[in-house]
Amino acid sequence: MDTNILLDDAAESSLRVAQPIKTNTGALSTLVIVFFFWGFIAASNSIFIPFCKHYFSLDQFQSQLIDFAYYLAYYVGSLILYIVGVNRGRDLMGQWGYKKGIIYGLMLSVVGAVLMILAVNFSGFAAILTALFVVALGFSLQQTAAQPFAIELGDPATGTHRVNLGGGVNSFGTTIGPIIVAIALFGSTTVTDAQIASLNLDKVTILYSCVGGLFLLAALLFIFSKKLPAGKSEASIEKSNKATRVLVVMTILLIGFFIPVFYSYKTIPATDIEKHALEMYRLKWLLGSLVVIVVCLIYANTRAKKNSDGWGAMKYPQLVLGMLGIFTYVGVEVTIASNLGTLLALPNFGSMPAATIAPFISMYWGSLMIGRWAGSIPVFNPSKSMKNFLLVIVPLIGFGVILGVNAIAKNDMSQLYWYIVCVFVQIAGFFISQEKPAKMLLLFAVFGIIAMIIGLSTVGMMSIYAFLSGGLFCSIMWPCVFALSIAGLGKYTTQGSSFLVMMILGGSIIPPIQGKLADVIGIHQSYIVAVVCFAYLAFFAWAVRGILKKQGLDFDAQVAGGH
């Protein structure tokens, strides 16, 4: 990219302003509600998947299509939003305003909840996938608006802290979602195969009626809230035909690579040799889909450096590299948890049956909550001494909340008491990084690499602790990557936000790649995938700081000066 690209005047001046802008806490309090919904519904899929598997007599792959449909919707929704915007010559979300964008997204999720009720009672599994896709489509609209909205509600240089606050609420929803859904459907937190087999469809109908009602109430809250600014931007955007072509080609190629994977599941191998050959075949196509994304984005970045015309937000290298950053971050966050159950079933890891792994899964997702709670402390503008105190006490409170929630669920947490040592490592990371986004992302990515290598090199509880701590180090990555990626984009901010939300697609691609790799080299060794993901995030943190400095922006210096 030409380093002489001028930033939008308003965005540039806001980043360089001497005095920090006061956070609109009233508006932020309303905004974080939608963050809770995303975590609640996503985590609740873990309860819904076994129900669908039994009720519709699905195999394991078919049941996993629930997560695939959920994450795919983010990509499709963001792609549609982008294409409509560039064809009209004006950013659609900017024209609506962030507030209306969230309202429209919530209403779309209401439609999805209604479709889910109809699908459960009158249709089949395909209809359920469609309904869940529509719910997540609404979430993609909400995320495209909510992330930059949170950054806009105060000093842009401290926007990561506000997104962290939303992420903390999101993680709380992730932590309690499965428990609430289990109680609502089965009357207890311990779900057995017999309970799943005897589940009354009326309970599922009631559950999604409540979920749809909550979406509707949240939409009404946003409609009538006077605290929330409209968040509109009437600036026109240039035609980004080159970026559009890359995204369309990438989408077509992804479809082409996914078809053989899905089609191969009609084949039933008769011998172990045939099974191995089939798994290698699937792995090859899944790796091909990953290569498609990486190559397309690198191509965009390379071409935009030579001539920025027609690339829109993709002419900014921080955005293109950040798209890969979001892709790998979501991928590593999901894949660590998705493959954990299989890992814990190994003899060297305790040979744990599925019914006993809930505490470990809960601690992993709770680790994300711990980090995000701590990362959101600066939003409340405490004094330096109070902030230092809270950076120690808040993670410990978060750890206690996880233990308390599991106590209510009657889960045995005795094996995880010493995990508090990992929490103290994260606390040290917060003090070392000094709230500087690029430095924090780099440090926590390095911590992630070290943790995954320890996990790969050991067995038993030490290895389990190392893999679980990946949640602690992932916890602050989304807001850091997001804020650094859209820094200085000006009128392209919401377009860039849409591109970033597309890359939640990583949750659909990286976990299956690790799963298929596990079939070839073993589940323990397959965690090398997580090492590679953290390594890229460390590279992004190192590279983006230099990129932004060339454009006259220094997030780390601004944050340090503001506190």
Side-chain angles (χ1 to χ4, degrees), residues 33-45 65-83 93 105-106 108-109 129-147 170 174 215 247 250-251 254 323 326-327 329-331 333-334 372 478 482 494-509:
I33 292 173
V34 296
F35 285 79
F36 176 83
F37 284 142
W38 305 334
F40 182 91
I41 298 298
S44 300
N45 285 346
L65 289 177
I66 289 177
D67 272 340
F68 183 82
Y70 183 84
Y71 288 107
L72 182 65
Y74 282 94
Y75 178 79
V76 173
S78 299
L79 182 63
I80 292 173
L81 192 65
Y82 161 72
I83 290 177
M93 186 63 71
L106 284 166
L108 189 56
S109 294
L129 291 179
T130 302
L132 190 63
F133 182 87
V134 174
V135 170
L137 206 59
F139 285 176
S140 74
L141 203 58
Q142 295 166 41
Q143 287 232 27
T144 303
Q147 307 288 346
N170 174 275
T174 301
F215 289 149
L247 290 172
M250 185 172 77
T251 302
L254 284 175
M323 290 171 69
I326 292 293
F327 181 89
Y329 155 70
V330 176
E333 177 189 278
V334 175
R372 288 165 180 171
W478 173 281
F482 206 98
T494 52
Q495 184 185 99
S497 175
S498 182
F499 288 160
L500 291 171
V501 173
M502 284 182 200
M503 292 296 104
I504 291 176
L505 181 68
S508 285
I509 293 179

Side-chain angles (χ1 to χ4, degrees), residues 514-526:
Q514 182 178 348
K516 294 307 175 189
L517 187 63
D519 290 328
V520 178
I521 65 174
I523 185 64
H524 188 191
Q525 292 74 21
S526 72

Side-chain angles (χ1 to χ4, degrees), residues 132-454:
L132 190 63
F133 182 87
V134 174
V135 170
L137 206 59
F139 285 176
S140 74
L141 203 58
Q142 295 166 41
Q143 287 232 27
T144 303
Q147 307 288 346
F149 202 6
I151 294 173
E152 188 179 273
L153 294 175
D155 191 334
T158 57
T160 53
H161 306 313
R162 291 185 292 281
V163 179
N164 258 326
L165 176 62
V169 175
N170 174 275
S171 293
F172 183 64
T174 301
T175 302
I176 70 171
I179 294 175
I180 292 176
V181 171
I183 292 174
L185 293 181
F186 305 105
S188 68
T189 57
T190 304
V191 182
T192 65
D193 291 340
Q195 286 176 305
I196 292 173
S198 61
L199 179 61
N200 191 324
L201 289 182
D202 290 341
K203 291 186 176 181
V204 180
T205 301
I206 293 172
L207 172 66
Y208 271 91
S209 296
C210 293
V211 168
L214 289 173
F215 289 149
L216 183 59
L217 285 175
L220 293 174
L221 180 61
F222 274 80
I223 290 171
F224 294 108
S225 175
K226 296 181 180 179
K227 296 177 180 178
L228 280 171
K232 287 187 176 183
S233 173
E234 296 297 336
S236 60
I237 57 175
E238 67 183 44
K239 294 287 185 180
S240 47
N241 297 328
K242 296 176 181 177
T244 303
R245 283 198 293 270
V246 167
L247 290 172
V248 170
V249 169
M250 185 172 77
T251 302
I252 293 172
L253 289 174
L254 284 175
I255 293 172
F257 276 78
F258 280 136
I259 287 175
V261 175
F262 291 127
Y263 186 78
S264 70
Y265 279 85
K266 294 182 178 180
T267 302
I268 301 177
T271 65
D272 289 341
I273 294 177
E274 290 180 0
K275 181 179 179 180
H276 179 78
L278 185 60
E279 296 301 339
M280 289 296 296
Y281 174 81
R282 293 166 181 166
L283 178 61
K284 177 182 69 175
W285 286 105
L286 285 170
L287 288 173
S289 68
L290 178 62
V291 171
V292 164
I293 292 171
V294 173
V295 170
C296 285
L297 292 181
I298 291 176
Y299 171 81
N301 185 39
T302 303
R303 299 298 297 177
K305 283 181 180 179
K306 297 179 180 180
N307 183 1
S308 63
D309 292 340
W311 285 102
M314 280 192 181
K315 66 185 174 184
Y316 295 92
Q318 65 265 36
L319 186 278
V320 176
L321 295 178
M323 290 171 69
L324 279 176
I326 292 293
F327 181 89
T328 53
Y329 155 70
V330 176
V332 73
E333 177 189 278
V334 175
T335 199
I336 291 174
S338 294
N339 291 283
L340 194 59
T342 306
L343 179 75
L344 295 177
L346 295 178
N348 287 337
F349 291 85
S351 300
M352 301 182 196
T356 65
I357 68 170
F360 299 91
I361 301 297
S362 174
M363 185 58 73
Y364 176 76
W365 290 113
S367 294
L368 289 147
M369 180 185 73
I370 290 172
R372 288 165 180 171
W373 280 12
S376 64
I377 289 171
V379 170
F380 304 100
N381 296 315
S383 64
K384 184 175 180 180
S385 59
M386 177 57 72
K387 181 172 61 181
N388 290 338
F389 171 74
L390 291 174
L391 278 175
V392 176
I393 198 66
V394 168
L396 298 180
I397 291 173
F399 183 68
V401 168
I402 298 168
L403 295 180
V405 167
N406 278 275
I408 295 172
K410 298 180 180 180
N411 291 328
D412 179 12
M413 300 295 287
S414 58
Q415 296 184 82
L416 291 168
Y417 290 153
W418 283 105
Y419 186 70
I420 196 170
V421 174
C422 299
V423 177
F424 277 113
V425 172
Q426 185 196 54
I427 291 171
F430 278 113
F431 279 99
I432 295 170
S433 60
Q434 301 172 316
E435 305 171 29
K436 299 177 180 180
K439 185 177 181 180
M440 182 180 290
L441 179 60
L442 177 60
L443 180 65
F444 277 61
V446 171
F447 279 173
I449 293 170
I450 295 171
M452 295 303 106
I453 290 175
I454 292 174

